[in-house]
Amino acid sequence: LLIHLFLLLFFLPLFFPKKMFIRKRERKLILTYLFTEGVMTTVKDFTSEFTIQAADENNATAVTVPNLQVIKLMQSLDSKGFVRTTFNWSHFYYFLTDEGIEYLREFLHLPADVKPNTEMPNGSLQPVAEPQQFGRSRGRDNRGGDEGTYRRSNRD
């Protein structure tokens, strides 16, 4: 009987994994932040806090949410194909996909003309000048030298 109880307690979580409970207020804050920015970055530290800065002037206080909840919520969105996840140097980078934009519009009850910051055109971009070509062919002969002046000056 004791062995059966031990086996039940050991193998039961494997068949019925625990689910994380995230309050609706915090879930909405995280998803609103993700939709507003279009991208999100978190540190792989499950005990730290994730700080969400208020976007409007009326509510100027920053809200902290457990980082574990942010990571698990983004993991859920990634499994549904709503975000794309990149992990590098103990940081998670989440990028909102087109399907994710549509899902968050429905979830947050936003009109179709509202877009994330990554989708908005930035009017302050300046046209980039034609890149200069660096290498052996610029101002040099076919041998790769600068008319041979480098070596000749050392010999004279």
Side-chain angles (χ1 to χ4, degrees):
L1 182 65
L2 189 60
I3 294 173
H4 291 288
L5 183 62
F6 173 74
L7 291 175
L8 182 67
L9 290 175
F10 184 73
F11 287 110
L12 191 62
L14 296 176
F15 296 110
F16 300 105
K18 294 181 181 179
K19 297 188 180 197
M20 173 154 294
F21 178 74
I22 302 174
R23 291 189 294 181
K24 188 174 182 178
R25 176 181 167 265
E26 294 173 349
R27 178 185 302 263
K28 191 171 180 179
L29 279 171
I30 295 167
L31 294 179
T32 303
Y33 179 79
L34 175 65
F35 186 82
T36 309
E37 298 297 324
V39 294
M40 184 179 283
T41 304
T42 59
V43 180
K44 186 184 175 184
D45 183 11
F46 302 121
T47 59
S48 68
E49 298 287 322
F50 184 80
T51 304
I52 299 174
Q53 297 292 336
D56 57 347
E57 297 86 29
N58 299 336
N59 187 12
T61 60
V63 179
T64 58
V65 180
N67 204 22
L68 179 64
Q69 291 182 359
V70 175
I71 291 171
K72 291 301 177 181
L73 182 60
M74 292 298 117
Q75 186 178 14
S76 172
L77 291 176
D78 185 29
S79 68
K80 296 174 186 174
F82 297 145
V83 295
R84 183 175 51 90
T85 305
T86 303
F87 182 76
N88 191 13
W89 285 52
S90 72
H91 282 74
F92 289 103
Y93 299 94
Y94 303 103
F95 305 95
L96 198 56
T97 62
D98 293 334
E99 296 84 15
I101 292 172
E102 294 301 320
Y103 170 75
L104 289 180
R105 272 197 192 122
E106 292 175 18
F107 184 82
L108 299 171
H109 308 291
L110 297 172
D113 59 338
V114 177
K115 295 182 180 180
N117 287 343
T118 54
E119 299 287 324
M120 299 293 283
N122 193 354
S124 65
L125 292 177
Q126 299 294 328
V128 179
E130 187 174 316
Q132 298 177 358
Q133 291 187 3
F134 296 102
R136 296 177 181 240
S137 63
R138 196 181 113 214
R140 296 180 179 171
D141 61 355
N142 290 338
R143 293 178 284 139
D146 199 11
E147 287 92 31
T149 58
Y150 175 72
R151 294 289 182 191
R152 287 186 191 150
S153 63
N154 289 343
R155 284 188 232 153
D156 291 339

